[in-house]
Amino acid sequence: MMPKLILILGDQLSHDLSALRAADPGDIIVMAEVMAEASYVRHHPKKIALIFAAMRKFAAELTDRGWQVAYTRLDDPDNSQRIDGELLRRAAEHGAKDIVATEPGEWRLIQILSQMPLPLRQLPDDRFLATHAEFEDWARDRKELRMEWFYRLMRRKTGLLMEGAEPAGGKWNYDHDNRKPAAPDLFRPRPPRFPPDDITQQVLDLVQDRFGDNFGDLLPFDYATDRAGALRVLDHFIEHSLDLFGPYQDAMLVDDPFLHHSILSPYLNCGLLSPSEVCQAAADAWQAGKVRLNSAEGFIRQILGWREFMRGIYFLEGPDYTSRNALDHRHNLPGLYWGAETRMNCLSHAVGQTRVHAYAHHIQRLMITGNFALLAGIDPAQVHEWYLEVYIDAYEWVEAPNTIGMSQFADGGLVGSKPYVSSGNYINKMSDYCKTCHYSVTTKTGDGACPFNLLYWDFLLRHRDRLQDNPRIGRAFATWDRMDKDRRDTILTEAAQFLNRMDAGETV
Ligand code: FAD
Ligand code: DLZ
Ligand code: SF4
């Protein structure tokens, strides 16, 4: 029998992948490190290293299980440097006429695969908990798509944290017990680290050589690169961090980039862990009395709710979603996002840790880098590209709805019911950044005024027509209207001056 080709992409490293389940003995598994994928944006070097090292180790596991794997390394002389090119080359090599793939997580690659000159079946990616059809059915005829309602559907579907038809403890959402600031604590557990083995070291040398100029520090590299390591990270999180995840999930500290976060997105998103096993582990820990319910529920909601909801939106909205710009924002992304000096301590730290770890937690992404870009009116396409480049867990299906939708409101309110904007006050409440900042968070205008304070009003006023009737943000306009006219003029003048300095490339 003629063999089929079975494609496995760098973020599909799961042994129960639908394409693998469709494989017959004798089929050829195709995996390829290619420049087209490694350079469609200038990924953080740690992201490329994680994917290549994990791909090589996954391929070795498949070989051990008896599969025939045609693996292309980036520097193989015959590498066509494209996924479609490698499929065609392997098809010619093995006399294969059919290809089976699991649907990629990006429209760009779905289109490339659907234009192949050979018959290619794209199977559903059933590692997710909701199918496209389920999300479409849920979304159809709804005036507003709100994560909370979708999440309840998913709780019922999976039975996670359910007591019969009722949510465990009587409530669906325990967020009011969360959102506490954190104090520095030397004894807070750190995620496990994995010193590079030989395979990872070879990849690190390659990545240093080929992608060393991309933004971000390649070394030290201590992420896990196989399923066994990813499982250790999961166990460690459940054992040591989950119990306090809920209360401190919105907190930010200069000296602790990880706090009680799980750092599981790198592994979930490349396939080394499945969302259902991670959610189940958290539910089991609560059932065993090891962690509080508000933490287990808050954590499970991020995966069962937000992660699935974001994927649903990406596939519902189609390929043009990433070019939305509902607020018509046009400023260029300032150099401070690439590490140019800034006096804003919060941004300096959020970008700094992103450079080092290719990681920032949700509130840093949303309320520091995202908030500033939104307030300053940065072109959302540039913001989207930045997030896709700099984070180790960034793939378009999850990054785009978070950036274009939740963070930049560029979809006009599809993902979020209001723009996530705040003045410096929120940042001061939830972090220790302001204590050592050049700017003063309590100063609203004049010398040393925190830029978030100025830009917050400038943003609201620029979009007054759209926002003043929004029940979640409209009240701010009453505060503005009560302000003294001179003060209002000063705020808007100083905000404009700030943006001019930013656009001119001055240190702000
Ligand atoms: P934890 O705080 O421990 O949360 C547990 C898990 O929940 C995460 O691993 C993740 O899988 C899931 N999760 C939490 N929030 C979200 C969310 N909003 N959307 C989807 N999943 C979520 N997440 C990505 O996985 N890839 C991205 O490219 C990405 N880009 C983002 C861009 C912006 C502008 C914002 C605001 C958020 C983005 N997120 C992204 C969501 C979130 O910030 C990360 O999932 C989270 O910080 C990953 O760290 P963690 O594993 O320690 O998460
Ligand atoms: C992100 C990425 C990178 C950096 N490199 C590769 C690669 O060389 N080969 C591969 O198969 N996949 C890679 N990936 C992941 C793909 O870009 C990813 O499958 C798509 O973006 C869809 O999510
Ligand atoms: Fe950021 Fe303003 Fe606080 Fe400085 S004072 S850290 S700019 S919020």
Side-chain angles (χ1 to χ4, degrees), residues 9-11 32-34 37-38 40 43 51-52 83 105-106 109:
L9 294 165
D11 56 352
E33 299 167 10
V34 292
E37 295 310 307
Y40 65 88
H43 307 279
I51 291 172
F52 284 5
I83 294 294
E106 202 181 323
L109 209 46

Side-chain angles (χ1 to χ4, degrees), residues 106-252:
E106 202 181 323
W107 289 111
R108 176 186 60 83
L109 209 46
I110 292 176
Q111 278 155 2
I112 289 175
L113 294 190
S114 52
Q115 285 158 8
M116 288 283 298
L118 286 176
L120 186 150
R121 265 191 302 148
Q122 297 192 46
L123 303 177
D125 190 345
D126 54 14
R127 296 172 300 168
F128 291 89
L129 294 152
T131 64
H132 293 332
E134 270 171 325
F135 193 83
E136 283 159 18
D137 283 350
W138 173 79
R140 191 171 301 122
D141 302 331
R142 268 172 201 267
K143 227 170 74 220
E144 286 187 330
L145 303 183
R146 291 292 159 252
M147 189 285 295
E148 187 64 31
W149 302 112
F150 172 73
Y151 167 57
R152 293 181 190 186
L153 180 77
M154 296 303 288
R155 287 271 294 277
R156 289 198 180 93
K157 176 182 169 178
T158 58
L160 281 162
L161 298 184
M162 295 298 290
E163 287 160 351
E166 297 304 314
K171 283 197 298 189
W172 292 101
N173 181 319
Y174 289 89
D175 252 1
H176 81 273
D177 298 336
N178 297 333
R179 305 195 169 128
K180 296 190 177 20
D185 178 356
L186 290 176
F187 301 105
R188 194 176 286 120
R190 302 266 308 182
R193 296 176 205 186
F194 300 83
D197 57 12
D198 288 350
I199 296 180
T200 305
Q201 191 54 53
Q202 280 179 18
V203 165
L204 292 176
D205 295 342
L206 173 77
V207 172
Q208 182 58 48
D209 184 40
R210 303 293 292 276
F211 306 97
D213 292 339
N214 290 12
F215 171 83
D217 297 351
L218 176 62
L219 303 177
F221 183 91
D222 48 25
Y223 281 100
T225 48
D226 58 16
R227 177 159 164 82
L231 281 170
R232 258 184 63 201
V233 181
L234 172 60
D235 289 347
H236 186 275
F237 168 71
I238 299 281
E239 201 58 40
H240 300 290
S241 298
L242 175 59
D243 187 38
L244 289 174
F245 173 88
Y248 296 124
Q249 63 182 301
D250 291 0
M252 297 172 278

